[in-house]
Each structure stands twice: as C-alpha cells, then as structure tokens.
C-alpha cells in the first residue's frame, strides 16, 4: 500500500505555484517538489493531484492500493462527487477522470493542514523554485 500526501502553495491568488508530493511505502519515503503553473490556489491543488497521478502511472504503480491525502476540501469534494460546475476546474477534472480509470484502487481523503506538514513544506520549496 502506498500513502501519498499532496499539497500546493501559491504566492498571490492567482500567482505562481508549487506542489509537494510525499510518497510513503514500506518504511521508505520520496519527496518531490514540483513548480506548477500560474493560477489560483485551488487550481494548483488540482494540478498537483494530476501530476501525482501521472507520476504514479509512469512508475507503473496503478495496481497498488493507494491512499492519497490532501488538505484541499475543494479538490477532495470534487473528486468524490466526480463533478464540478466551476469552469476553471473542469479541464483538470476531465484529465483526472481519464487517469483514474487506469488505477485499480486509489482513494483520496481530506486531512487537516496540521497532518500534511511534509507535503506543505515540499510545496513551499517548489514555490521558491517557481519564483
């Protein structure tokens, strides 16, 4: 089982953004700091989740049981409902839906910010790279 913690950080709203991905498996962890596009904080949260799915798929981890944790209620709610009426989120959701079909079991769950410090630090590092 993989546990994946994700977060995004944006300077300004909209503004430059960075994403943090913390992948934890079998007592090992990998930390990724990824500069993201210019946009809103919510768009950055969608983008980092999309990047996470792409990374996991490229590493052929689609058959793993994956628990993905995010402190973005907007992201988690949108994925859970499989719907958004926000036109800014729709392109992300469509790409995410397409990628999720490749995973045998991926569950995204909301966690409070206080439980997501590792991904938050990585997102802030990525934001510094983007500035």
């Amino acid at each position: 089982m993989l546990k994946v913690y994700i977060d995004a950080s944006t300077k300004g709203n909209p503004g430059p953004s960075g994403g943090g991905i913390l992948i934890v498996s079998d007592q090992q962890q990998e930390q990724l700091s990824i500069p993201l596009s210019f946009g809103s904080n919510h768009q950055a949260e969608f983008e980092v989740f999309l990047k996470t799915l792409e990374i996991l798929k490229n590493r052929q981890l689609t058959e793993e049981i994956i628990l993905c944790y995010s402190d973005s209620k907007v992201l988690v709610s949108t994925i859970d409902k499989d719907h958004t009426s926000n036109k800014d989120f729709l392109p992300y959701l469509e790409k995410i839906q397409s990628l999720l079909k490749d995973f045998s079991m991926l569950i995204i769950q909301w966690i409070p910010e206080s439980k997501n410090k590792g991904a938050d630090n990585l997102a802030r590092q990525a934001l510094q790279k983007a500035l």
Side-chain angles (χ1 to χ4, degrees), residues 63-103:
E63 297 302 314
E64 296 279 337
I65 296 171
I66 301 168
L67 299 175
C68 186
Y69 300 100
S70 171
D71 58 26
S72 170
K73 288 183 180 179
V74 171
L75 172 66
V76 173
S77 173
T78 300
I79 302 305
D80 282 348
K81 291 178 184 172
D82 202 26
H83 173 78
T84 183
S85 54
N86 186 317
K87 63 179 176 47
D88 293 334
F89 302 159
L90 195 54
Y92 297 107
L93 180 59
E94 289 171 350
K95 289 176 188 170
I96 289 166
Q97 288 168 328
S98 174
L99 282 168
L100 281 174
K101 292 176 186 171
D102 296 325
F103 289 84

Side-chain angles (χ1 to χ4, degrees), residues 28-124:
Q28 296 178 344
Q29 69 176 25
E30 181 178 5
Q31 301 176 353
L32 303 169
S33 291
I34 303 169
L36 302 174
S37 314
F38 188 95
S40 73
N41 188 54
H42 291 309
Q43 287 170 311
E45 296 283 0
F46 278 92
E47 190 175 347
V48 75
F49 183 55
L50 184 57
K51 297 260 188 215
T52 300
L53 294 177
E54 290 168 349
I55 289 166
L56 294 172
K57 184 177 177 182
N58 288 340
R59 294 181 180 182
Q60 301 177 338
L61 296 171
T62 56
E63 297 302 314
E64 296 279 337
I65 296 171
I66 301 168
L67 299 175
C68 186
Y69 300 100
S70 171
D71 58 26
S72 170
K73 288 183 180 179
V74 171
L75 172 66
V76 173
S77 173
T78 300
I79 302 305
D80 282 348
K81 291 178 184 172
D82 202 26
H83 173 78
T84 183
S85 54
N86 186 317
K87 63 179 176 47
D88 293 334
F89 302 159
L90 195 54
Y92 297 107
L93 180 59
E94 289 171 350
K95 289 176 188 170
I96 289 166
Q97 288 168 328
S98 174
L99 282 168
L100 281 174
K101 292 176 186 171
D102 296 325
F103 289 84
S104 57
M105 180 175 279
L106 188 146
I107 299 167
I108 187 166
Q109 184 176 348
W110 178 83
I111 58 172
E113 285 181 30
S114 62
K115 302 277 189 203
N116 205 22
K117 295 290 186 199
D120 178 65
N121 287 334
L122 293 168
R124 291 176 191 278

